[in-house]
Amino acid sequence: MTATPRLSIVIPTFNRPDLLRRCLETVTLHSPPATQVIVVDDAAPNRVVVDVVNDFPHAAHLRQPRRLGFAAAANAGIRASTGAIVELLNDDTEVQSGW
């Protein structure tokens, strides 16, 4: 049985794979162990988001059926999260040590 994560990080994104990749790299480097990471794909074209997320096995990919905007994507990620604390990050965020 897996313990409930203390921290869930929700990252809404649309068609900015380069920024998302850097965000996930820094989140991976500086997040506590067992952090839940949910990337909410706001119906980006092709596979640009899922291809990035697949490079980060600890991150989950949640795809919106159609583009609904940042707030709807954020809310979908929050609903899917299970952590006691939910952190919402923009896809252009680069977290640092101690954030």
Side-chain angles (χ1 to χ4, degrees):
M1 175 182 280
T2 304
T4 300
R6 176 156 169 72
L7 175 63
S8 293
I9 298 174
V10 174
I11 308 168
T13 190
F14 175 78
N15 207 27
R16 299 190 331 167
D18 53 335
L19 297 174
L20 176 62
R21 178 173 300 283
R22 185 64 188 142
C23 179
L24 287 170
E25 288 170 349
T26 63
V27 163
T28 299
L29 187 61
H30 299 295
S31 294
T35 296
Q36 178 186 39
V37 178
I38 302 170
V39 176
V40 184
D41 177 353
D42 196 21
N46 304 317
R47 294 181 45 92
V48 296
V49 173
V50 73
D51 287 345
V52 171
V53 176
N54 283 342
D55 289 339
F56 298 88
H58 68 283
H61 176 252
L62 176 63
R63 182 170 170 84
Q64 297 282 75
R66 62 185 170 85
R67 187 146 191 229
L68 299 171
F70 179 84
N75 285 331
I78 291 167
R79 281 191 302 275
S81 67
T82 59
I85 299 168
V86 178
E87 179 76 31
L88 181 62
L89 296 179
N90 290 334
D91 61 2
D92 61 351
T93 302
E94 293 185 26
V95 300
Q96 299 176 0
S97 179
W99 66 290

